[in-house]
Amino acid sequence: MEPTSGDVRSVRSNGTPVPSWPGRLSGMDQGLAAVLGASVGVVGTTAVGALGWLSARTQVRAQARAERQQWRSQHRRETYSKFLVEAEAASKTMEEAYFRLMEPPTVALLDQVQSLMREYSEQSRNARSTLASVSIEGPPEALAAAREVLDQMENGSVAVLAASEKRRAELANEPPRPMLPTDPDEYYHQSGILRRVALDTFTEAARAALDTVV
């Protein structure tokens, strides 16, 4: 009977077949197994390397994100602090000018008030310049509050100038020039209350923004 392809076995030099033992690999089979084993090793090493690269890349991105958040938070903090310092300084100068007007009017006193208001104008311009940075940093709540602070500062300064004109007219026994539709003292106190509310609102908005910076 002719052997089939499944019965092909090795033969000795004398023509007798060599028994094929179960589990015994031929030379070709052993070579193939070695190649396959090496391939599995390469694939495993490559997979481990890829996982390590992905893990390292994730860590680098997380670190970069954390550093960016820290930088953004610090930049916002500096912008908010700068605006508050400038706005508070201008408000303090304006208040000093107004309280001087509570004294009996003299020419020297009115000159001092004018000097203080010139100082206020310079401080107010600084705060308005910082408003551009607040606009960039945001958020809208902080920007809206900052604008309200500046608006009420402007209202207060107009009231101080009107009160100063009122005192000058009293000193000269002349009728004052109308600068406001209401009494300047009442207008100043009203703007002062609104200015303080706006400053508090800005501070709260700034704190919330620093807590949620992304």
Side-chain angles (χ1 to χ4, degrees), residues 69-144:
Q69 290 175 344
Q70 183 179 3
W71 175 86
R72 182 74 184 277
S73 178
Q74 181 63 27
H75 200 264
R76 272 188 170 181
R77 186 184 304 276
E78 292 174 356
T79 298
Y80 297 155
S81 297
K82 188 172 186 292
F83 176 81
L84 280 175
V85 168
E86 292 169 346
E88 290 282 7
S91 296
K92 184 177 179 180
T93 301
M94 179 172 56
E95 289 171 359
E96 183 179 355
Y98 177 77
F99 289 132
R100 290 285 182 90
L101 293 173
M102 297 297 99
E103 303 173 14
T106 63
V107 174
L109 178 68
L110 295 178
D111 288 342
Q112 292 176 4
V113 171
Q114 288 182 352
S115 177
L116 286 170
M117 291 308 293
R118 284 193 293 269
E119 181 180 350
Y120 158 80
S121 296
E122 181 65 27
Q123 294 168 331
S124 177
R125 281 194 293 270
N126 292 337
R128 289 192 177 277
S129 296
T130 306
L131 183 66
S133 297
V134 176
S135 176
I136 294 173
E137 294 297 330
E141 294 80 5
L143 177 59

Side-chain angles (χ1 to χ4, degrees), residues 10-88:
S10 300
V11 295
R12 296 188 178 92
S13 59
N14 59 6
T16 60
V18 176
S20 178
W21 302 100
R24 182 177 178 179
L25 298 176
S26 66
M28 182 178 295
D29 293 336
Q30 292 176 352
L32 180 59
V35 171
L36 291 176
S39 299
V40 170
V42 171
V43 171
T45 302
T46 303
V48 171
L51 289 175
W53 178 80
L54 288 174
S55 177
R57 184 180 182 185
T58 301
Q59 292 178 357
V60 169
R61 285 184 173 180
Q63 182 178 356
R65 188 180 302 111
E67 291 176 353
R68 177 181 178 277
Q69 290 175 344
Q70 183 179 3
W71 175 86
R72 182 74 184 277
S73 178
Q74 181 63 27
H75 200 264
R76 272 188 170 181
R77 186 184 304 276
E78 292 174 356
T79 298
Y80 297 155
S81 297
K82 188 172 186 292
F83 176 81
L84 280 175
V85 168
E86 292 169 346
E88 290 282 7

